Amino acid sequence: MKKYCSDLVVKSVERISNRFVLIKLTQGTPLPPIMPGQFVEVRVDGSPRTFLRRPISVHYVDRELNELWLLVAVVGEGTQWMSQLRFGDVLNVVYPLGNGFSLSVVPGQRCLLVGGGVGIAPLLELGKELSALGADVTFLLGGKNASDVSYVDIYKKYGRVLLTTEDGSVGEQGFVTQHSVLSQERFDSFSVCGPKPMMVAVARYAKEHDIPCEVSLENLMACGLGACLCCVEKTVEGNLCVCKEGPVFNINRLLWLS
């Protein structure tokens, strides 16, 4: 898939919780093809101590409005600068990068999309595409508290939404891996993104129940092109760059459960 280095224009920046901002970008020409699970590398121009681009998951692509959405967790200087962008500002991005989630589904297939923290980001675009293909989509989203999962109404456009919070302020209390739906219902596939311990737990459950499972890894990435080797993951095929061979992997390719 062809990659682009483009100056995208900020249409809006919305703080949707204490931790997250939603940035909507556009350009004068139609956005290129983008697969769910791919990411962008953002150049941070306003932070003198941020030398490397920041990898951000593609959250949503609105073809009608020609918008690319990024859900950004504000955790450091680079993302803090991004959170302060304003309408009309320019953001330089390299995109679309990596390999996304599989879209080989049949109508009626029951797909569980599991996300924790900012790992919920790539699941919106995935849910949109799976729903368009006729899949029965369920989102299982988790956070520390209600603020972390306050931004869920748009997910409801594409499937059922189930929530967990560590403090029990909304949804079931606990982690996504403890949600009652896992013991009460059967799914045909899992797609997962979030903290590694959460993904490992879901992968183990999927393996035990013989359910196909893909995970989107969040290894540290700098170049996004497989050159710097800082995001290497050990797999059954040897050491692979997550930014180039992933970030989405079938769990059978990983060594997590061996």
Side-chain angles (χ1 to χ4, degrees):
M1 182 178 287
K2 187 175 180 180
K3 299 172 178 60
Y4 300 82
C5 183
S6 303
D7 287 332
L8 302 185
V9 179
V10 176
K11 289 189 72 174
S12 66
V13 179
E14 178 186 356
R15 183 167 286 277
I16 59 175
S17 74
N18 293 334
R19 294 177 57 207
F20 302 130
V21 294
L22 175 64
I23 302 175
K24 297 182 181 180
L25 305 167
T26 191
Q27 62 181 21
T29 57
L31 293 166
I34 301 172
M35 297 295 294
Q38 290 188 301
F39 66 99
V40 307
E41 284 278 359
V42 176
R43 190 179 71 202
V44 179
D45 295 327
S47 175
R49 291 190 292 181
T50 306
F51 302 106
L52 301 174
R53 289 178 179 263
R54 289 294 182 262
I56 306 292
S57 296
V58 171
H59 181 42
Y60 188 75
V61 182
D62 189 325
R63 293 290 173 188
E64 224 174 275
L65 298 177
N66 198 40
E67 291 179 350
L68 171 65
W69 296 10
L70 304 179
L71 184 64
V72 180
V74 182
V75 294
E77 284 190 29
T79 50
Q80 179 65 36
W81 173 80
M82 292 175 64
S83 74
Q84 295 171 356
L85 291 167
R86 296 293 181 264
F87 172 81
D89 287 343
V90 172
L91 197 63
N92 183 268
V93 303
V94 178
Y95 76 118
L97 298 172
N99 294 304
F101 289 98
S102 169
L103 296 177
S104 56
V105 297
V106 296
Q109 181 171 321
R110 304 195 72 216
C111 302
L112 184 66
L113 281 52
V114 187
V118 78
I120 71 174
L123 302 183
L124 178 59
E125 180 67 11
L126 176 60
K128 181 189 78 174
E129 295 295 330
L130 291 177
S131 178
L133 293 169
D136 180 3
V137 175
T138 296
F139 298 98
L140 176 53
L141 310 177
K144 292 183 180 298
N145 52 50
S147 177
D148 281 354
V149 291
S150 60
Y151 172 65
V152 297
D153 282 349
I154 190 168
Y155 290 80
K156 295 177 183 178
K157 292 174 59 177
Y158 306 111
R160 176 176 54 152
V161 176
L162 305 175
L163 301 176
T164 67
T165 49
E166 293 179 25
D167 65 359
S169 52
V170 68
E172 294 189 11
Q173 185 169 9
F175 303 115
V176 290
T177 51
Q178 299 168 323
H179 197 282
S180 59
V181 73
L182 292 172
S183 60
Q184 294 174 357
E185 299 183 26
R186 169 78 184 187
F187 294 92
D188 301 309
S189 67
F190 287 169
S191 303
V192 191
C193 186
K196 185 175 179 179
M198 181 209 83
M199 293 196 291
V200 171
V202 177
R204 182 172 293 112
Y205 178 94
K207 193 83 169 178
E208 290 171 354
H209 293 81
D210 196 28
I211 300 171
C213 180
E214 291 182 330
V215 294
S216 180
L217 305 192
E218 296 186 323
N219 296 32
L220 291 175
M221 299 183 222
C223 71
L225 301 170
C228 69
L229 304 180
C230 74
C231 64
V232 166
E233 178 78 18
K234 294 180 179 179
T235 75
V236 296
E237 303 155 44
N239 292 336
L240 297 178
C241 288
V242 169
C243 68
K244 187 176 180 181
E245 303 297 333
V248 179
F249 289 88
N250 186 292
I251 60 171
N252 294 327
R253 299 179 66 193
L254 303 174
L255 297 177
W256 291 357
L257 309 181
S258 59

